[in-house]
Amino acid sequence: MSAAGDEDLEKLAMEHPVLKQAKDALDRLSADELAQIQAEHREMALLTYEAGISAARHEAEEKGRQEGRQEGEAEMLLRLLTIKFGPQPAEVAQRLASASQADVLRWSERMFSADSIDAIFA
């Protein structure tokens, strides 16, 4: 319905019986204090739900970015280890993939001064 005000709404309601029924129902609900409170509660619940969904989506996206960054750092360290010490066994790749970000950072720093792969993980 496209009514600019109560007068337009009344005119539309008089022209269309279904719109009159809808307007009458709306008028009854608008006058019912309990219905107004219930409508406000539904609106607040909907807003709370949407805010929760938005927060969960943001948290999941952030977690995905963090996991992607950590995975990239582990892959980069594996490439650098391969360049410095030659091809690495699958166990090294698995260890890097399951390591914490702090471990990967610590091992990355050790890589520059280590003489062997064992010295990095010591």
Side-chain angles (χ1 to χ4, degrees):
M1 293 191 297
S2 59
D6 289 341
E7 196 173 294
D8 287 345
L9 187 58
E10 190 67 40
K11 184 177 175 184
L12 284 171
M14 291 303 159
E15 294 173 3
H16 304 284
V18 173
L19 294 180
K20 178 161 180 30
Q21 289 177 341
K23 182 186 176 304
D24 291 345
L26 181 61
D27 289 343
R28 279 193 310 277
L29 287 173
S30 296
D32 184 349
E33 187 175 327
L34 180 58
Q36 289 176 353
I37 291 170
Q38 289 173 333
E40 288 175 7
H41 285 205
R42 279 191 303 274
E43 183 68 20
M44 288 185 338
L46 180 60
L47 291 172
T48 301
Y49 172 78
E50 289 173 353
I53 291 294
S54 178
R57 184 178 297 121
H58 177 73
E59 184 178 325
E61 289 171 354
E62 183 59 34
K63 184 178 179 184
R65 280 191 290 272
Q66 178 66 24
E67 288 173 357
R69 184 174 25 253
Q70 187 169 341
E71 186 178 303
E73 290 172 356
E75 288 177 12
M76 179 58 72
L77 179 55
L78 181 60
R79 290 179 67 195
L80 293 173
L81 292 172
T82 301
I83 291 168
K84 185 169 183 175
F85 300 111
Q88 297 300 305
E91 295 81 34
V92 171
Q94 290 171 349
R95 186 170 185 181
L96 291 173
S98 63
S100 70
Q101 192 171 14
D103 285 339
V104 171
L105 179 61
R106 187 174 62 252
W107 297 332
S108 297
E109 291 169 349
R110 288 181 185 169
M111 193 201 71
F112 293 105
S113 61
D115 293 333
S116 69
I117 193 76
D118 293 331
I120 290 174
F121 296 114

